[in-house]
Amino acid sequence: MPHPLNGADGDSLRRQARSVVAALGLEGTGLAPDLVLSLLRAGFGVQSDAMTGGVEIRACPAHYGPGSLLVSWAPHEAAYTPLDPRVTRVEGIMTDALLDTVRALGFGAERLGVSYSVRVMPGSSDAPG
């Protein structure tokens, strides 16, 4: 069986990952291409605009560590109008799931306190490219 990232399917997934990284404005973040590709390969949707739900990835403020990324679950914006407390509960569950997922994909990560964000650190990837 060929490796899943060989051939046309792999090329298509890499193009999609590059497109998402560009849409997020994270081209200058060395960690972003591997993280996005790994999440897409694992079946996660990555949010590229406010109208979609999925995994939100954004640059981390420098005081958390240069080159780090923040990853969180981003429900569809309709979940917030009006705010549904069940969505807040889901965000907490998804934060824990994202932390476990990102680690399982080979990245070093930690939850940022009680927030709904996971910090993924550069130089921590064992993810296959």
Side-chain angles (χ1 to χ4, degrees):
M1 177 176 199
H3 189 277
L5 280 184
N6 291 337
D9 289 341
D11 292 341
S12 175
L13 197 56
R14 283 187 194 89
R15 280 192 301 278
Q16 181 184 1
R18 282 192 301 271
S19 175
V20 168
V21 169
L24 297 174
L26 296 174
E27 300 96 329
T29 307
L31 182 60
D34 286 341
L35 180 62
V36 170
L37 181 61
S38 293
L39 288 168
L40 291 173
R41 286 182 63 211
F44 285 84
V46 178
Q47 182 185 39
S48 56
D49 64 57
M51 291 299 295
T52 61
V55 177
E56 179 182 34
I57 302 173
R58 58 195 182 282
C60 197
H63 64 273
Y64 285 118
S68 293
L69 294 172
L70 293 177
V71 178
S72 58
W73 184 250
H76 190 281
E77 72 171 17
Y80 298 105
T81 52
L83 181 63
D84 184 340
R86 296 172 296 183
V87 170
T88 304
R89 184 166 186 269
V90 168
E91 282 185 286
I93 293 167
M94 289 304 298
T95 300
D96 291 336
L98 278 173
L99 176 60
D100 291 342
T101 299
V102 169
R103 286 177 173 167
L105 290 171
F107 296 89
E110 65 184 10
R111 186 158 179 177
L112 288 181
V114 296
S115 76
Y116 295 126
S117 294
V118 171
R119 181 176 78 125
V120 182
M121 292 143 309
S124 61
S125 174
D126 291 332

